[in-house]
Amino acid sequence: MHDTSLNLRSLVFLLVSIGLISLPHGWHIPLPLFGFFSVLWVWRFAAVWYSRCLPNRLVLFVLTLAGIALLVSQHGGLFGRDAGTALFVVALGLKLLEIHGKRDVYLIVYLAFIVAASQFLYEQSILMAGYILLVCAALLATLITQNAKQVQTLVAVKTAAIIILQALPMTVVVFVLFPRLEAPRWMWLQDDTKALSGLSNTLEPGSISELSLSDELVFRVRFAGDVPPPQLRYWRGPVYSRTDGIRWSATGNNNQSTVKPSFSGEAYQYTLLMEPRKENWVFGLDMAESFDASLSRNDLLQLQTSKRPSERAEYKIVSRPFYNTGAISPSEKQENLQLPANASARQLELVASLRGFHAEPEQFIGNLLNHFRQEKFYYTLTPPLMPDNPIDTFLFETRSGFCSHYATAFVYLLRIAKIPARVVGGYQGGEINKVGGFLEVRQADAHAWAEAWLEHKGWVRFDPTAAVAPERIERGVNVDLQIASGAVSFSPMVVESAALNWLKRSRQLWQSIDYNWQRWVINYHGGSQKQFLQLLGIDGVGELVKWLVGGLLLITLPLAWWLLRQKATATDKAVRYYRRFCAKLAKAGIEIRLGEGPKDFAERAQKQCPELAARIEQITALFIRLRYQADAKAGDLQALKTLVGGLRI
């Protein structure tokens, strides 16, 4: 049995739904595999009108082998997140070419549901959730059209929407109350090679300036009280201590810190929502005083998490802006005085002219900052290339650079003057979302600054960029304008009430919705559920089961009552006419028995009223076709009404 058993409109609706479901995977699976699926999909679409072009079994077998070969060549196997997703997509395309009846349609729809769900292995945004909900509604409508007496696309879509709306309350109850199983997770399917941008273990000339043209979100912060001023918004990340004169490397230190800083200043309490990333770094406000148990602080005073970095995670942290890290160990001092070679004559001359060899460290640091401030140094996203000797080239020739150029040159000169110093990478500033009341930090906010160790003060932050471009620290980065122009752009100094035009306010509104979606839905894990249930007074498995069963009954019982009532009040017209037919026969003493089917009742009635046998046969056949078969014709209902109305006993 081929396409003659399938309605043309229903088949087209199915293929369109499959196309919409598979479309986002064009960005997830290799192009050859998606191209292979696209060819199969177009082939099947053409076969709707030209059924002769459908492949035979031999061609299908060859196509299957080709699909397997592509999978192995692109992924090296069939296991893993990407390979598994590609396998389902290719299988879906192949199955489209052998639709022979309703059974194949059902199988394709169920396979398409799996392909739709696999989208969440790549993206979990509210937009993707809405898109998947729409395409799943289309799939559900496809199933409805396959079982309808007459294919009416709009009616099927409406019915699918009603079914989904009826299921939503139950979905919410199960989502909130059903125990969250943290393991096993599907994230083990995720490839470790997933491309994630951001700061790395090495710092080279131009590496941070590349990030400055990206509006990719890094983390969002909601403060419990006041938001710290821009000049205090330093979000600490990797510490770069070792250098070969060109590249600076972060020390691989995962040991829990033995340093016990003393803190002062206002305490800032905040919740930080980190986006997925490559490293296990958490960018806390410098300096973190207390933090979640899942976080630790290493000897470089950097926060690290025990959670999987490729997952979005939330942390509660308290930071203070002023601190004293105390004494420095001999090994730490040696590491932060390391230089790759002897200083050049020009470097020694500059340090000497700024009294680096004779004055107190703080005085020399002040002189060096004034040198950057008073001489013709420029802050730019596009400095000249400095491949060979970037420190000398920057200080004495180009005098143009981004934050990493200033920080590395500053630290290099301090080390020449025998002052322990190091480069710190992270983010500075962030944009306040006035609609949602939280701070957004993006890759464009990436920054590098310096730390110097001073007697009785410990590690102290110095930012040479602020000496050259104080607007970068005081006003922050205008991300949109900087990306659009490719040049350094700072946030405008305007009155707060007039700062946002309608476009920016709309974007911030959407970002606020996305933030709450990520925080309360995507990040709703076992720990979050436990805290929420405790607020409701639910403690223990027994109480949880009672709430879960009670919630489901509270939803299903009224819904079942409403559905049954709707069925009783809106009885099928065919049933109504058949009941009228049975009532007429009952007057002649031929009553339908309990549990007796239409055919059995017709046979008995024909025996008792042989003169009406033909009319009884016609009425019964029409009723069965209207009620139980999918091949009813447009005039069958009217014919049934006429035959029952004309029946005289």
Side-chain angles (χ1 to χ4, degrees):
M1 182 170 58
H2 285 270
D3 286 349
T4 53
S5 65
L6 298 171
N7 183 278
L8 179 67
R9 186 186 299 177
S10 176
L11 195 55
V12 170
F13 190 77
L14 170 66
L15 291 172
V16 171
S17 301
I18 297 297
L20 291 173
I21 282 166
S22 306
L23 183 61
H25 279 308
W27 287 266
H28 304 149
I29 64 177
L31 185 59
L33 285 169
F34 191 75
F36 181 70
F37 167 81
S38 300
V39 169
L40 299 177
W41 181 81
V42 172
W43 190 345
R44 189 59 187 85
F45 218 110
V48 172
W49 292 276
Y50 305 99
S51 58
R52 291 183 180 180
C53 70
L54 280 171
N56 56 32
R57 290 187 177 182
L58 179 60
V59 175
L60 270 175
F61 180 71
V62 173
L63 287 171
T64 302
L65 292 179
I68 294 173
L70 272 174
L71 283 167
V72 174
S73 67
Q74 295 296 317
H75 294 291
L78 302 177
F79 299 100
R81 181 197 62 175
D82 293 341
T85 301
L87 175 63
F88 280 117
V89 172
V90 170
L92 181 60
L94 290 169
K95 186 61 184 174
L96 287 176
L97 293 178
E98 54 174 9
I99 301 177
H100 301 315
K102 288 187 177 181
R103 178 181 174 276
D104 296 312
V105 173
Y106 295 150
L107 184 59
I108 285 173
V109 169
Y110 300 145
L111 185 58
F113 275 121
I114 296 175
V115 172
S118 67
Q119 299 283 357
F120 291 118
L121 295 175
Y122 296 90
E123 186 178 350
Q124 299 171 347
S125 68
I126 192 171
L127 279 177
M128 180 56 69
Y131 182 81
I132 295 302
L133 184 63
L134 287 176
V135 295
C136 285
L139 283 177
L140 191 57
T142 302
L143 287 177
I144 293 169
T145 59
Q146 290 300 311
N147 293 277
K149 299 169 188 174
Q150 298 177 359
V151 178
Q152 296 179 322
T153 306
L154 292 178
V155 174
V157 171
K158 181 181 177 182
T159 305
I162 291 172
I163 292 173
I164 290 174
L165 288 175
Q166 290 171 346
L168 279 179
M170 191 180 303
T171 304
V172 172
V173 170
V174 173
F175 176 82
V176 173
L177 296 178
F178 195 83
R180 315 292 290 183
L181 303 177
E182 298 300 323
R185 294 188 179 191
W186 287 103
M187 288 305 293
W188 66 274
L189 289 171
Q190 182 166 339
D191 297 335
D192 294 331
T193 57
K194 180 181 179 182
L196 291 170
S197 61
L199 295 171
S200 68
N201 282 307
T202 58
L203 184 66
E204 301 178 64
S207 58
I208 290 185
S209 60
E210 292 174 0
L211 292 177
S212 66
L213 295 177
S214 170
D215 67 345
E216 181 184 345
L217 194 65
V218 184
F219 57 88
R220 286 172 279 202
V221 187
R222 186 183 295 277
F223 287 90
D226 295 335
V227 178
Q231 62 268 25
L232 295 181
R233 292 184 210 150
Y234 283 85
W235 307 94
R236 189 182 186 90
V239 177
Y240 305 98
S241 298
R242 299 173 184 168
T243 181
D244 60 3
I246 298 175
R247 182 184 295 104
W248 292 72
S249 304
T251 307
N253 190 327
N254 294 318
N255 299 324
Q256 193 161 347
S257 175
T258 56
V259 179
K260 303 294 182 184
S262 58
F263 294 92
S264 61
E266 182 179 354
Y268 294 102
Q269 183 178 349
Y270 54 97
T271 301
L272 188 147
L273 181 64
M274 288 291 305
E275 294 296 307
R277 60 210 178 281
K278 289 183 288 189
E279 307 290 347
N280 66 337
W281 306 330
V282 173
F283 299 92
L285 186 67
D286 203 16
M287 169 80 63
E289 181 181 24
S290 60
F291 34 81
D292 286 352
S294 60
L295 294 175
S296 62
R297 184 169 54 209
N298 62 19
D299 285 334
L300 301 174
L301 306 174
Q302 178 189 5
L303 291 181
Q304 297 175 317
T305 178
S306 58
K307 296 181 180 179
R308 190 184 181 100
S310 57
E311 296 177 351
R312 189 175 286 101
E314 191 174 70
Y315 307 95
K316 294 186 182 298
I317 306 174
V318 177
S319 295
R320 291 183 186 269
F322 308 113
Y323 49 88
N324 187 328
T325 61
I328 186 173
S329 67
S331 61
E332 189 179 10
K333 183 175 182 179
Q334 181 181 359
E335 183 176 47
N336 289 285
L337 287 174
Q338 174 261 332
L339 289 171
N342 293 330
S344 68
R346 289 192 294 182
Q347 292 169 357
L348 292 172
E349 183 181 349
L350 176 61
V351 172
S353 67
L354 298 175
R355 299 179 53 80
F357 297 120
H358 303 97
E360 292 295 321
E362 289 180 78
Q363 184 179 348
F364 170 63
I365 291 172
N367 293 339
L368 182 53
L369 290 174
N370 282 331
H371 175 75
F372 283 132
R373 189 178 294 115
Q374 295 168 2
E375 297 296 324
K376 292 183 178 180
F377 282 89
Y378 301 97
Y379 183 67
T380 176
L381 281 178
T382 55
L385 295 177
M386 311 173 199
D388 299 327
N389 192 353
I391 302 295
D392 256 24
T393 305
F394 167 69
L395 286 172
F396 305 109
E397 297 175 21
T398 66
R399 294 196 171 192
S400 297
F402 200 54
C403 58
S404 56
H405 297 85
Y406 286 96
T408 53
F410 184 84
V411 168
Y412 206 93
L413 294 176
L414 260 59
R415 289 186 177 188
I416 292 174
K418 302 303 179 184
I419 301 172
R422 58 195 186 187
V423 180
V424 182
Y427 298 88
Q428 202 286 323
E431 182 182 15
I432 296 177
N433 186 309
K434 292 182 171 65
V435 178
F438 56 87
L439 192 75
E440 295 174 319
V441 177
R442 302 182 178 275
Q443 294 293 359
D445 297 307
H447 193 56
W449 59 92
E451 279 187 337
W453 187 85
L454 301 176
E455 193 73 37
H456 306 303
K457 292 184 178 180
W459 288 105
V460 180
R461 180 176 65 240
F462 294 97
D463 192 349
T465 301
V468 180
E471 303 92 344
R472 168 64 184 88
I473 309 304
E474 296 169 1
R475 289 159 53 184
V477 174
N478 186 326
V479 176
D480 296 331
L481 186 57
Q482 184 161 290
I483 293 173
S485 64
V488 173
S489 299
F490 304 119
S491 298
M493 297 292 290
V494 293
V495 180
E496 187 171 303
S497 59
L500 299 176
N501 56 33
W502 69 270
L503 184 60
K504 188 171 185 179
R505 190 177 294 275
S506 299
R507 193 181 79 166
Q508 290 193 341
L509 175 61
W510 172 250
Q511 290 167 346
S512 178
I513 294 171
D514 179 68
Y515 172 71
N516 286 286
W517 165 264
Q518 299 291 346
R519 188 179 182 194
W520 299 111
V521 179
I522 302 303
N523 205 44
Y524 186 69
H525 50 69
S528 305
Q529 185 186 48
K530 186 177 180 181
Q531 293 177 2
F532 178 72
L533 295 180
Q534 286 176 346
L535 291 175
L536 296 177
I538 304 174
D539 192 11
V541 178
E543 287 189 23
L544 179 59
V545 171
K546 290 178 183 178
W547 273 74
L548 184 59
V549 174
L552 293 176
L553 288 176
L554 192 64
I555 293 169
T556 54
L557 290 179
L559 184 60
W561 173 83
W562 181 78
L563 289 174
L564 291 172
R565 184 173 177 274
Q566 288 293 106
K567 188 175 181 179
T569 55
T571 307
D572 191 345
K573 288 184 178 180
V575 175
R576 226 183 304 160
Y577 297 149
Y578 185 74
R579 286 176 179 173
R580 193 179 302 167
F581 162 70
C582 293
K584 288 188 175 185
L585 289 177
K587 291 179 180 179
I590 310 172
E591 294 186 4
I592 189 168
R593 295 168 184 169
L594 185 65
E596 190 173 25
K599 283 189 175 182
D600 294 336
F601 178 57
E603 290 176 3
R604 189 162 57 84
Q606 285 172 324
K607 290 178 182 178
Q608 296 186 33
C609 297
E611 70 280 4
L612 298 174
R615 182 65 63 89
I616 292 172
E617 178 70 25
Q618 286 179 305
I619 292 173
T620 303
L622 279 171
F623 173 70
I624 290 174
R625 188 158 66 224
L626 284 165
R627 188 64 178 170
Y628 302 109
Q629 297 176 0
D631 58 347
K633 299 176 183 177
D636 285 348
L637 187 63
Q638 183 61 39
L640 178 63
K641 180 181 179 182
T642 302
L643 287 172
V644 173
L647 183 65
R648 297 288 183 269
I649 300 177

